[in-house]
Amino acid sequence: MSTPINILVTLDAGYLPPLKVMLWSLAANNRNQDFHIWLVHEKLTATQIEEVRDLTDALGWKLTALTTKIDLTDQPALIKRYPPAMYFRLLCGQVLPADVHRMIYLDPDIIVINDITPLWELDLQGNMLAAAAHRGVTKLVDNVNQLRLGTTTSYFNSGVLVIDVDQAREKIHLSDITAAIETYHDYLILPDQDVLNFLYGETILEIDEEVWNYDTRKYLVYQTRTLSKHDIHWVMRHTRILHYCGTPKPWDATSDSKFTSLFLNYQQQVQRLLADLKPTEA
């Protein structure tokens, strides 16, 4: 087995079921790779963590659960209204052990459909982060967000990140994040993602969204942009990560998109696996 790839997840209890689907899809499509899952949370119970550990143990992976709290006691009300977990991915350098140097962060509303080793081995070229930008057919989204946030870089999605943890320890601080929110709160739409772009956009290496952070809502957009070359067959061969951005989520009864059934299939598989792990009653 190869050296483990570090995977960071930060979530509350509501996202535990899709997290298990994401982890199972990661295992199913990276069978010769070992992973170390780092679960950073504020108030998951021991029982909830053990549910995740049942799966990672079955996959032969290590799980490290780290409880952390963001102290917002002295912050104004507008800061406190955002959930503390929002900060965890950006502040991972303050939470992770000193011997952890690189991390892939993945949102739980993701499935992995091909090998992600190239993302782990990506040359960051001196940057602190790598991320994809969801642009649509043109760069209009970038232009709108540059005007809104006063930035000059692409507008990056925070759902998939490669993080140079050593640089993050040095450069990312809670005080900078809260100051940015307090100053620009009237302009923030997705606070954690907006802060990522406003404060750290200049330190982000752009990666291909259709490979590493495919927005499942935008199949027709990608088709249009590539003159129908990137059809579903292309996606299944070349895309590594599908991201179920927005709503409804694929586990919701109202979801019926091109990629819903793929998620539901992985969901069924992991549910069967976990059911088989339960001890049978005498």
Side-chain angles (χ1 to χ4, degrees):
M1 191 71 76
S2 57
T3 302
I5 292 175
N6 292 319
I7 301 291
L8 173 67
V9 291
T10 65
L11 70 164
D12 57 28
Y15 272 90
L16 283 175
L19 171 65
K20 296 172 188 176
V21 179
M22 185 269 279
L23 294 177
W24 171 246
S25 72
L26 180 64
N29 294 293
N30 292 265
R31 292 188 179 275
N32 296 320
Q33 181 62 59
D34 190 19
F35 292 90
H36 185 164
I37 309 302
W38 299 82
L39 172 58
V40 177
H41 67 98
E42 184 183 32
K43 52 186 178 182
L44 293 178
T45 67
T47 299
Q48 290 165 339
I49 293 170
E50 285 309 305
E51 289 179 15
V52 181
R53 195 180 304 280
D54 286 344
L55 176 57
T56 55
D57 284 352
L59 298 173
W61 299 347
K62 183 176 181 179
L63 172 69
T64 299
L66 299 172
T67 305
T68 186
K69 292 186 180 296
I70 303 295
D71 185 5
L72 302 177
T73 305
D74 298 327
Q75 297 294 334
L78 68 92
I79 300 291
K80 294 179 182 177
R81 76 185 183 199
Y82 299 122
M86 181 189 86
Y87 305 97
F88 290 165
R89 81 189 80 176
L90 291 178
L91 292 168
C92 67
Q94 314 302 321
V95 178
L96 296 168
D99 60 351
V100 175
H101 305 292
R102 174 174 282 224
M103 189 70 64
I104 295 176
Y105 169 82
L106 296 177
D107 270 353
D109 58 345
I110 272 172
I111 60 172
V112 178
I113 62 171
N114 280 301
D115 178 22
I116 68 164
T117 306
L119 188 62
W120 177 248
E121 297 175 345
L122 177 70
D123 180 1
L124 286 173
Q125 302 172 26
N127 291 282
M128 179 171 64
L129 302 160
H134 288 162
R135 287 204 173 85
V137 176
T138 68
K139 292 189 176 183
L140 179 62
V141 173
D142 276 351
N143 295 335
V144 169
N145 284 302
Q146 286 169 1
L147 181 63
R148 178 170 64 89
L149 298 173
T151 58
T152 58
T153 63
S154 298
Y155 184 75
F156 296 102
N157 182 274
S158 60
V160 177
L161 299 170
V162 182
I163 306 171
D164 180 330
V165 182
D166 293 321
Q167 286 198 56
R169 288 190 186 98
E170 179 183 346
K171 297 177 181 178
I172 301 180
H173 305 285
L174 178 61
S175 58
D176 295 333
I177 296 171
T178 55
I181 293 174
E182 188 170 7
T183 303
Y184 298 100
H185 62 92
D186 288 340
Y187 304 98
L188 303 181
I189 298 173
L190 300 170
D192 57 340
Q193 192 160 281
D194 284 349
V195 167
L196 170 75
N197 283 274
F198 177 73
L199 289 178
Y200 310 112
E202 297 286 350
T203 69
I204 299 176
L205 175 70
E206 184 166 352
I207 54 179
D208 187 342
E209 64 171 305
E210 286 191 67
V211 175
W212 296 114
N213 193 340
Y214 188 104
D215 185 340
T216 58
R217 301 170 297 180
K218 303 296 177 61
Y219 176 73
L220 292 179
V221 170
Y222 295 137
Q223 280 275 75
T224 301
R225 201 164 69 186
T226 64
L227 303 177
S228 297
K229 292 179 181 179
H230 292 187
D231 58 12
I232 194 65
H233 301 280
W234 185 96
V235 172
M236 295 308 296
R237 286 196 306 270
H238 298 284
T239 297
R240 310 298 179 104
I241 296 173
L242 295 176
H243 191 179
Y244 293 88
C245 303
T247 56
K249 296 300 186 187
W251 54 89
D252 294 333
T254 54
S255 177
D256 191 18
S257 76
K258 180 175 288 291
F259 296 100
T260 297
S261 60
L262 186 58
F263 177 91
L264 294 177
N265 182 248
Y266 282 113
Q267 183 182 62
Q268 286 181 329
Q269 291 178 38
V270 74
Q271 287 173 345
R272 291 168 184 153
L273 171 66
L274 292 172
D276 290 341
L277 295 177
K278 291 181 179 179
T280 57
E281 295 183 3

